[in-house]
Each structure stands twice: as structure tokens, then as C-alpha cells.
Amino acid sequence: MSKYFLNYLDELESEAIFILRECFEQFSNPVILFSGGKDSIVVSHLAKKAFYPSPIPFSLVHIDTGHNFPETIQFRDDIIKALGVRLLIGSVQKSIDIGHVKEEKGKNATRNILQTTTLLNLIDENKIDCAIGGARRDEEKARAKERVFSHRDKAGQWDPKNQRPELWNIYNGKHYEKEHFRVFPISNWTEMDVWNYIKRENMTIPSLYYAHEREVIWRQGAWIPNSKHIIIEDHEAVVTKNIRFRTLGDITITGGIESEADTLEKIIAEVSAIRQTERGSRSDDKRSESAMEDRKRKGYF
């Protein structure tokens, strides 16, 4: 009798699909948090495989800051149509207009942190008890210590000292009314795993991930895209560079890297050799040593 082997990508895929099916089984209203970035694209693709030939039984949620890359919004709308799923949009601009959050001012102002209030309000209004995200442990140290099934209290806050233990593949989604869970099906994946999986599955991704000419300015150790949302000071010069992005967030905080990687093969080769961390070009992570953990404690993604 021949033995049955799975390669490492098959094992990661199998684990993620198991987790997604656990979400469907354990929660009454799970959703997928969709940013338009590669990780949420992979999670959506895995959800499609997990429930095929039925459609994905979860809505997708996008928190629109109003400062997105135009390419991200176009990609979001295209994939929603292709998947045939419902899209819930939380608007940060609306949260500002009604006074739930106050917009930052100045050169380094960002709407990134304002997303938390909009996200928590959307979760509460739609009675969502499980928000599935694409966060991975290898991205950042605060994400490294978060469980796959991560509990949030009634205020949507995460307490890293009050996590429920995960024994093997036994996930515990029990919660009280008004509490919810964040679930991360690809928590055990690395950046390289994601790229190899995207290549294997022949997945479509936003053009922002491929190197191409773009207007940028040098700020805080990264190439920040020129846009109407940033204030350019006299000593800063707008230049045209061959740029690609390793992560996608707001256009005001997502730094690109100089690159010639305009194919998936070149991206994989580049990632295998690069020494800078994946989020090293994100200015939102540079605000303090504990920037990500501080945001997550308050209910961030």
C-alpha cells in the first residue's frame, strides 16, 4: 500500500481550510476582513476552496479609510463580483463626520488608527461574532503571540494575558454576548509561503505588488507614494522610481521598495534574499516600539 504525502503548501492549505470550516461551525455570523492585500486575498481564496462548490458563506468586510490606493478599491470591487459575496463597508470618513473619531493633523497624520473605531462599530451593528483576518505570526512581534482563535471582550479589546489555550487543533470559540473572536487561518504561514501559494494557485493580485514606475518621496526610511493625501515639505523632492509594495495599507503610510520584480518568480527570488522585515516600510509601525500591540489591544485588526 502506497503512502499518502502532502507537501508543505498542501499542509498549510489543509490547516487553513480546517480553521475556516471551524468558523462556520462554531459561530453564527462570521465575516472575512478584506483589505485588498495579498493575505486577505489568500484567505478569500481558501474560503472559496473550503466550501466549494457552494459559495463562500461569509460576507467580506472592508474598512475604507478614504486614503486607499485607487488600485486597491478597483481590485476589491472586481473580486467581490468574481466571488459573488456580499461586501460590508465601514467608512472612516463617516466616523469622522459624525464625531466618533478625530482626524489627525500635520505632516505625519494618518487615518490608520482611526480604522479601529469604525471596525468595532461595524462589528457591533452587524452582530458579528467572528472576524476572520489574514494576519500572520511572522509579520510582527505582537501578531506572533496572538492565538489562531483570538478572544475580544465586549469592548472589542484584546488582552494578551487572557488568551484561551490552543491544544493541538482544538479551537475554542466560546464567548459571551457582545464578545467576539478574531480568527487567523494563515497565522502559521510565512511571507514566502504566501507568495509560493499565490504562484501555485495562479491567483490574481493587485498591480501594486509588481514593480513599476511611480512618483514617490523619501520619508522615514521608505519611499512613500505621492498623493493628494500627503503634505510635501520644501526639502522633500518628488521623484520617479521603480517601486513595488510588500504590504498594502493606507497610501499615506505604506512605503514601497525599489525593485525590478515585475513577475511572481522575481518577487519570490527577491523575498528569499531580502533582509528587511516585511513591515519595515510601514510608518504606522514606527510610531513606537509597541505600536502594533497598542493598536491591537484597542481592537485593531
Side-chain angles (χ1 to χ4, degrees):
M1 182 176 177
S2 62
K3 292 185 177 180
Y4 178 64
F5 291 101
L6 297 176
N7 69 28
Y8 83 101
L9 283 180
D10 290 330
E11 291 188 13
L12 289 171
E13 179 189 71
S14 178
E15 179 190 56
I17 285 175
F18 174 78
I19 293 167
L20 287 163
R21 289 172 177 166
E22 282 290 299
C23 293
F24 181 75
E25 175 64 26
Q26 295 196 32
F27 299 99
S28 60
N29 188 23
V31 298
I32 295 175
L33 301 174
F34 188 82
S35 67
K38 64 184 184 305
D39 301 316
S40 60
I41 293 169
V42 165
V43 171
S44 301
H45 180 81
L46 289 162
K48 182 180 177 182
K49 297 186 82 169
F51 301 101
Y52 182 85
S54 297
I56 297 174
F58 313 135
S59 298
L60 267 57
V61 167
H62 180 234
I63 303 303
D64 184 355
T65 65
H67 289 176
N68 302 285
F69 286 93
E71 296 95 328
T72 301
I73 298 300
Q74 183 61 55
F75 186 89
R76 178 200 70 187
D77 294 342
D78 290 344
I79 199 169
I80 290 298
K81 186 182 294 185
L83 293 174
V85 296
R86 186 172 70 134
L87 174 66
L88 300 173
I89 298 177
S91 170
V92 172
Q93 183 61 57
K94 183 179 177 182
S95 297
I96 295 170
D97 293 342
I98 61 180
H100 285 176
V101 293
K102 185 176 181 180
E103 185 158 30
E104 295 181 352
K105 302 294 182 184
K107 172 185 172 183
N108 295 317
T110 169
R111 289 186 170 183
N112 189 52
I113 189 64
L114 307 185
Q115 295 180 91
T116 301
T117 299
T118 306
L119 171 64
L120 294 179
N121 287 343
L122 184 144
I123 287 174
D124 185 57
E125 290 165 4
N126 290 276
K127 299 184 181 348
I128 293 166
D129 56 357
C130 172
I132 303 165
R136 292 177 283 106
R137 286 189 169 120
D138 80 323
E139 284 184 89
E140 205 278 340
K141 54 183 180 293
R143 288 182 166 168
K145 64 182 182 183
E146 192 162 16
R147 304 289 186 186
V148 172
F149 270 42
S150 184
H151 176 263
R152 295 295 190 277
D153 65 18
K154 291 182 179 179
Q157 296 175 328
W158 172 57
D159 181 356
K161 296 178 181 176
N162 188 31
Q163 299 184 91
R164 291 169 183 171
E166 292 172 347
L167 303 177
W168 301 284
N169 61 351
I170 302 173
Y171 299 111
N172 182 357
K174 292 182 180 177
H175 59 283
Y176 294 106
E177 188 176 356
K178 296 281 188 181
E179 295 179 345
H180 72 276
F181 268 77
R182 304 290 173 84
V183 173
F184 307 107
I186 61 170
S187 182
N188 291 330
W189 297 39
T190 67
E191 182 186 13
M192 184 62 82
D193 296 332
V194 169
W195 283 119
N196 280 324
Y197 188 72
I198 288 172
K199 181 175 183 294
R200 189 187 85 166
E201 299 291 304
N202 194 28
M203 297 167 59
T204 302
I205 55 173
S207 59
L208 296 161
Y209 284 115
Y210 297 110
H212 58 276
E213 285 192 345
R214 193 173 195 103
E215 285 191 352
V216 289
I217 63 168
W218 183 252
R219 180 180 291 178
Q220 293 184 306
W223 291 109
I224 302 296
N226 184 23
S227 76
K228 63 181 180 181
H229 303 299
I230 63 170
I231 299 172
I232 301 175
E233 298 189 333
D234 292 341
H235 68 277
E236 294 177 321
V238 178
V239 297
T240 300
K241 294 279 185 180
N242 221 35
I243 294 291
R244 80 171 193 88
F245 301 91
R246 293 175 70 187
T247 68
L248 296 184
D250 260 14
I251 198 168
T252 59
I253 58 168
T254 306
I257 59 171
E258 289 188 75
S259 171
E260 299 297 326
D262 54 3
T263 66
L264 281 176
E265 290 78 8
K266 291 179 182 177
I267 289 174
I268 290 169
E270 182 179 85
V271 170
S272 68
I274 205 164
R275 295 180 65 84
Q276 186 183 30
T277 61
E278 183 178 358
R279 294 182 66 94
S281 299
R282 291 282 292 261
S283 61
D284 49 333
D285 290 349
K286 297 178 180 177
R287 291 197 162 194
S288 73
E289 180 66 22
S290 59
M292 173 64 84
E293 178 154 339
D294 293 341
R295 294 202 302 273
K296 288 186 76 66
R297 282 176 180 268
K298 295 176 181 177
Y300 188 71
F301 302 92

